[in-house]
Amino acid sequence: MAIPEAYAANFQTLLDAASHGDLALMECTDAVTGEPRYVICAVGYDAGEYVMTPFGHLHDGNPYEAYLPPA
């Protein structure tokens, strides 16, 4: 199964942000459950303001139990 181009582009953006030290880990609130989430964000700067672009949150529990590798 091929990774969709949009996801590959977002991953490249994440790699670029990491190489420039422009990543942050933010505590946010899940919009559905209200639970705290620890979100990996790229940090940008636009018109004098910081802009946080969320990419995903850290997995609660054991991630090896949550995902199956490609077959």
Side-chain angles (χ1 to χ4, degrees):
M1 171 175 27
I3 295 174
E5 187 175 323
Y7 292 134
N10 281 344
F11 184 66
Q12 187 59 54
T13 300
L14 187 61
L15 291 176
D16 293 344
S19 72
H20 293 105
D22 294 332
L23 287 182
L25 183 61
M26 294 178 55
E27 182 176 340
C28 298
T29 302
D30 187 291
V32 175
T33 67
E35 296 292 319
R37 295 281 180 244
Y38 302 96
V39 180
I40 299 166
C41 298
V43 180
Y45 199 70
D46 184 39
E49 300 281 330
Y50 285 102
V51 178
M52 303 296 193
T53 303
F55 278 91
H57 66 269
L58 298 178
H59 185 277
D60 292 330
N62 184 345
Y64 294 102
E65 294 174 355
Y67 306 107
L68 298 173

